[in-house]
Amino acid sequence: MRIVIAEDSALLRAGIERILADAGHQVVAGVPDATNLLHLVERERPDLAIVDVRMPPTFTDEGIRAAAVLRSQNPESPVLILSHYVEERYASDLIASDTKGFGYLLKDRVADVPAFLDAVEVVGGGGTVLDPEVVSQILVRSHRRSALDQLTQRERDVLQLMAEGKTNAAIAAGLHVSVGSAEKHIASIFAKLGLAADDSGNRRVLAVLRYLEN
């Protein structure tokens, strides 16, 4: 299998290249950033691209955004994401679009060389390999998004004002409703987001965090 690797850590890149070469694969090239990855794939048309999520210049999500570009340009082009982190938004979008020839593994799994090589074979052959931790985090995000989708527009307006630090009285004044009505909306928000009453008084903070996460 002809493989390209996008990994900014020269040491890790060399280690992956060695593992793949020892298994009989041809590593066409390894590059340290997403821009060179796109050029490399365009030129070499590899059987598989192994891509790190965080790469230069910002070390945030350059790699997985490049993977999304590759998949949008050629959905049949296999991509295996290999990262220390779960980038939930792009990962869920990639999985939702098409999982054929797509994989997402946490780098800890590379320590299990046979399992890593199995994943390479599966993804390169058009299959799907997803790390259990990736699946778990995406499901949690999906559940949170689904809960927020249940909110009415008025409840979203209330949550927006809560995120701005408004008191119940200020929320009521801002929406031209009674304080009692504002409190009912807030109680409904807590219920829909699954935030049970407790003694900590943190439900307001947790609701705002859910809102800001999305």
Side-chain angles (χ1 to χ4, degrees), residues 23-179:
H25 298 294
Q26 178 188 358
V27 178
V28 177
V31 293
D33 59 76
T35 301
N36 280 317
L37 168 67
L38 295 176
H39 294 320
L40 185 62
V41 171
E42 175 66 21
R43 186 179 73 238
E44 299 292 343
R45 301 291 181 183
D47 299 313
L48 174 67
I50 297 177
V51 183
D52 185 17
V53 167
R54 298 184 177 183
M55 288 190 288
T58 68
F59 296 94
T60 53
D61 56 10
E62 286 87 349
I64 197 166
R65 284 194 285 115
V69 171
L70 293 176
R71 296 285 287 178
S72 65
Q73 293 175 340
N74 184 5
E76 303 300 320
S77 178
V79 173
L80 174 59
I81 303 294
L82 200 59
S83 176
H84 285 301
Y85 314 94
V86 181
E87 210 300 329
E88 298 167 14
R89 183 179 55 155
Y90 284 101
S92 58
D93 289 346
L94 282 164
I95 292 170
S97 60
D98 191 351
T99 56
K100 293 179 181 176
F102 179 73
Y104 196 133
L105 292 179
L106 297 185
K107 285 182 176 176
D108 291 346
R109 313 297 180 187
V110 178
D112 186 344
V113 173
F116 170 65
L117 291 173
D118 285 345
V120 166
E121 293 285 351
V122 170
V123 176
T128 306
V129 176
L130 297 175
D131 192 289
E133 181 61 26
V134 174
V135 175
S136 174
Q137 292 196 29
I138 290 175
L139 286 175
V140 169
R141 177 185 172 84
S142 176
H143 175 72
R144 288 177 174 174
R145 181 183 296 172
S146 176
L148 285 170
D149 288 343
Q150 297 176 36
L151 301 183
T152 65
Q153 184 55 53
R154 176 48 60 96
E155 288 165 348
R156 287 179 172 275
D157 294 339
V158 171
L159 194 49
Q160 168 70 40
L161 292 171
M162 289 170 61
E164 295 173 7
K166 304 291 187 184
T167 63
N168 289 2
I171 291 171
L175 297 178
H176 306 291
V177 299
S178 68
V179 174

